Amino acid sequence: MTRHTPHRRGAHALAFACLAALTLALGGCAADGMTASTTGSTMADTPSMSVEASPEASVVPSVSAVDIAAGDIDEPVEVAVAPGADGVGVTFREITLQPGAGTGEHCHAGQLIAVVKEGALTHYAPTHPDGVRVYEAGEAIIEGAEYVHQGVNEGDVPVVLWVTYVIPEGEPLAETDLANCG
């Protein structure tokens, strides 16, 4: 399998940006007068970043970002949601599929970006040449809008997925009424 470095960097940058946004949302935002210390490297190269208060600032908690999962995709990535959406919701979720378990057939109104943290996910979708692909730990998955698909753990260890949903506001994360898909 040929790896294309620009796409891998793009996927890592997207994953890092999503994680950084979540970290800031959970840990608070930087105030004026705060400086970032990245020990001389760029943010894209740094798996963690801390923010420290300047001498003029009062006590301010540190903010740090830690990469929790990373995966590679060997193709270009474009994130889109259904046209006419009034807004977009972003949800981060950890999903664990026990051996033999599956998601059931479903679709999404937007996109899902995931990393297989542990195990191997068998993904059934019309977007794969043979209708099926197995994603191993460390690989990234992007599911587009409105096509029916499902994921199944056909292995003997749990599959752990770290998933970001980018879905139009008011829409469910997954649609199981297949009449509403496509």
Side-chain angles (χ1 to χ4, degrees):
M1 181 179 304
T2 304
R3 297 270 186 216
H4 300 283
T5 304
H7 299 163
R8 184 172 27 190
R9 277 193 210 126
H12 284 192
L14 178 61
F16 185 80
C18 289
L19 178 60
L22 176 63
T23 301
L24 287 174
L26 295 176
C29 295
D32 289 340
M34 296 179 70
T35 59
S37 170
T38 59
T39 62
S41 61
T42 66
M43 187 172 181
D45 296 330
T46 305
S48 64
M49 181 178 101
S50 64
V51 178
E52 301 168 5
S54 69
E56 300 85 30
S58 60
V59 177
V60 177
S62 292
V63 175
S64 65
V66 177
D67 291 346
I68 54 176
D72 294 332
I73 297 175
D74 292 334
E75 56 198 48
V77 174
E78 185 175 318
V79 177
V81 296
D86 289 334
V88 175
V90 177
T91 301
F92 299 94
R93 176 181 276 182
E94 179 179 277
I95 299 172
T96 302
L97 299 171
Q98 296 300 324
T103 63
E105 290 187 324
H106 64 280
C107 67
H108 306 282
Q111 284 191 290
L112 174 150
I113 304 164
V115 173
V116 179
K117 181 176 182 264
E118 299 173 14
L121 179 74
T122 303
H123 191 253
Y124 295 92
T127 57
H128 305 305
D130 296 325
V132 64
R133 177 172 173 198
V134 177
Y135 290 93
E136 303 285 338
E139 289 189 283
I141 303 167
I142 294 191
E143 292 180 347
E146 300 185 351
Y147 63 86
V148 176
H149 57 277
Q150 70 175 321
V152 179
N153 180 354
E154 295 179 351
D156 56 2
V157 298
V159 169
V160 179
L161 305 170
W162 285 1
V163 184
T164 301
Y165 296 86
V166 182
I167 306 288
E169 283 184 350
E171 295 291 331
L173 297 181
E175 176 62 67
T176 57
D177 181 349
L178 303 184
N180 294 326
C181 298

